[in-house]
Amino acid sequence: MDEETWQEALSGIFKGEVRFMELMKNHTSLRIGGPADVFAIPQDLNSLRNILIAFKEGETPFSPIGGGTNMLVRDGGIEGVVISFRAFRKVETLREDDEYVYLFAEAGASLQRLVHFSREHGYSGIEGLAGIPGTVGGAICGNAGAYGYEMKDVIISVSIMEAEGRIRTVNRDALAFGYRRSSITSDELLLDAEIKLKKDRKEEVAAKVENFVKKKWGSQPLSEPSAGCVFKNPPQLSAGKLIDEAGCKGMRIGDVEVSSIHANFFINRGEATASDFIRLMQEVACRVKQISGVVLEPEIRIIGRDEG
Ligand SMILES: Cc1cc2nc3c(=O)[nH]c(=O)nc-3n(C[C@H](O)[C@H](O)[C@H](O)COP(=O)(O)OP(=O)(O)OC[C@H]3O[C@@H](n4cnc5c(N)ncnc54)[C@H](O)[C@@H]3O)c2cc1C
């Protein structure tokens, strides 16, 4: 569909912003990525549903995006519609008992806002997620985690909008959470979640959060553009250590460099491209395989089309 047809299809049924040929490098923490055909920021559930239905009729693919902090978008950009959740940011208390508090968080809320909220109130359960960028939606879809804490441990249920616009509630046990994964597929939209945290002393929660933030800043290149860990840790092993032992720290292709602070982080040194990033991933994985025999698997999500 061209721009004019889109405008017509959405007129009167969509509240929010729609941009055409929007560069994804402006929406990813890596600062890499070609243009999305359409980049939509719906303001409410009806607009979200209507845009899904409009796409479906036009058989246009859609891709949800949170903070873009765990993805590599190819240089040719993304076909179809990228859906941003930035207008869905509510975090509020649903109910509480003597021991626990139950929170409602929308997919587009920043994960750090949730950590901050919990810390302010003395709610325990997500202290180890302090410092992880991105949204609550992204953290649930990829079961984000660190220091023994994982998003899955605090989820009660989530609401999901299916491609047809129908909303269903899914309990935690049906989400098949695993190491940096869940069963939520790319044609489902996670709208919000119910989260259960344990009441604790504020000072105790704050001290844990501060400790984890300090650890993170001491071991990861947090001020450089990256997408976090590039590869998953193989069972009982550290991907960063394997990459370091294979002599890859500081390796560079184009403007993509293996961080010398944490070898599992690849940094954009300026004008990095996705194709250089993927070549560096292949080269690093190949060297690790040669030295240790271990096959590394990507943790980051690689999406989009190659440059034509
Ligand atoms: C400096 C740095 C440090 C990091 N440290 C950690 C860490 O310690 N532990 C860790 O686990 N990760 C870490 N990460 C990776 C990343 O921050 C997390 O994986 C984060 O949870 C991703 O959230 P996001 O909103 O940015 O997701 P995105 O990158 O936007 O999306 C990730 C995936 O989820 C899907 N998705 C996002 N939102 C929705 C939605 N509402 N509905 C359906 N699908 C959706 C996307 O389509 C995509 O497939 C780090 C990243 C950086 C840059």
Side-chain angles (χ1 to χ4, degrees):
M1 274 202 242
D2 60 19
E3 198 170 321
E4 211 175 305
T5 323
W6 270 112
Q7 306 275 26
E8 252 172 54
L10 296 178
S11 134
I13 61 160
F14 181 81
K15 252 200 254 159
E17 215 182 310
V18 180
R19 302 179 195 164
F20 297 91
M21 297 308 281
E22 176 75 2
L23 278 180
M24 290 304 296
K25 69 197 284 184
N26 297 329
H27 299 279
T28 59
S29 56
L30 256 178
R31 306 260 164 268
I32 293 178
D37 294 347
V38 182
F39 189 92
I41 313 170
Q43 288 299 309
D44 53 38
L45 278 184
N46 264 341
S47 302
L48 185 61
R49 183 180 288 113
N50 289 341
I51 201 168
L52 277 190
I53 292 165
F55 299 153
K56 199 169 171 259
E57 279 166 10
E59 293 187 357
T60 308
F62 62 84
S63 314
I65 186 174
T69 66
N70 195 31
M71 53 168 74
L72 173 66
V73 178
R74 290 199 179 88
D75 302 315
I78 301 180
E79 185 194 349
V81 190
V82 172
I83 298 181
S84 163
F85 285 84
R86 76 176 59 157
F88 299 85
R89 296 196 286 240
K90 210 186 282 166
V91 173
E92 61 189 22
T93 305
L94 284 175
R95 61 186 189 282
E96 56 189 292
D97 54 31
D98 289 347
E99 237 185 309
Y100 294 101
V101 63
Y102 297 81
L103 305 180
F104 169 84
E106 286 186 323
S110 125
L111 179 63
Q112 287 320 294
R113 199 170 138 228
L114 187 66
V115 172
H116 187 73
F117 184 90
S118 311
R119 174 198 166 142
E120 291 289 290
H121 292 85
Y123 301 151
S124 176
I126 50 173
E127 294 91 325
L129 307 185
I132 301 180
T135 61
V136 168
I140 297 173
C141 289
N143 186 24
Y147 309 117
Y149 290 75
E150 281 184 308
M151 202 59 206
K152 72 172 172 53
D153 297 329
V154 297
I155 300 296
I156 296 283
S157 63
V158 300
S159 330
I160 285 177
M161 185 182 278
E162 295 167 355
E164 298 74 25
R166 202 178 48 209
I167 296 176
R168 67 192 158 97
T169 301
V170 185
N171 290 330
R172 174 190 181 278
D173 290 346
L175 289 168
F177 283 118
Y179 172 51
R180 304 292 170 268
R181 62 172 296 278
S182 72
S183 59
I184 300 163
T185 61
S186 57
D187 58 357
E188 294 175 320
L189 301 179
L190 189 138
L191 302 177
D192 51 59
E194 187 177 338
I195 289 167
K196 179 183 175 182
L197 298 172
K198 195 165 178 8
K199 291 182 176 174
D200 201 340
R201 288 180 46 240
K202 276 188 204 173
E203 308 75 51
E204 199 108 334
V205 175
K208 281 193 204 159
V209 167
E210 267 152 41
N211 177 38
F212 289 127
V213 168
K214 222 195 241 167
K215 261 187 162 170
K216 209 165 164 63
W217 274 94
S219 59
Q220 298 178 356
L222 299 185
S223 53
E224 316 269 16
S226 82
C229 288
V230 175
F231 296 103
K232 290 183 178 176
N233 287 324
Q236 275 82 53
L237 293 169
S238 149
K241 197 155 173 276
L242 290 168
I243 298 170
D244 190 5
E245 285 166 2
C248 299
K249 264 190 177 169
M251 231 171 98
R252 182 166 175 157
I253 294 183
D255 266 353
V256 191
E257 189 177 292
V258 178
S259 164
S260 48
I261 298 172
H262 191 310
N264 201 15
F265 279 60
F266 292 9
I267 307 298
N268 178 354
R269 287 283 173 223
E271 297 299 317
T273 62
S275 62
D276 285 343
F277 197 99
I278 291 167
R279 275 174 53 219
L280 189 59
M281 282 178 75
Q282 289 164 343
E283 185 61 38
V284 165
C286 183
R287 289 202 189 185
V288 167
K289 172 113 194 303
Q290 274 168 3
I291 301 289
S292 62
V294 177
V295 177
L296 292 177
E297 267 181 49
E299 176 171 326
I300 55 168
R301 319 275 179 121
I302 303 176
I303 60 168
R305 58 197 163 198
D306 286 322
E307 212 158 20

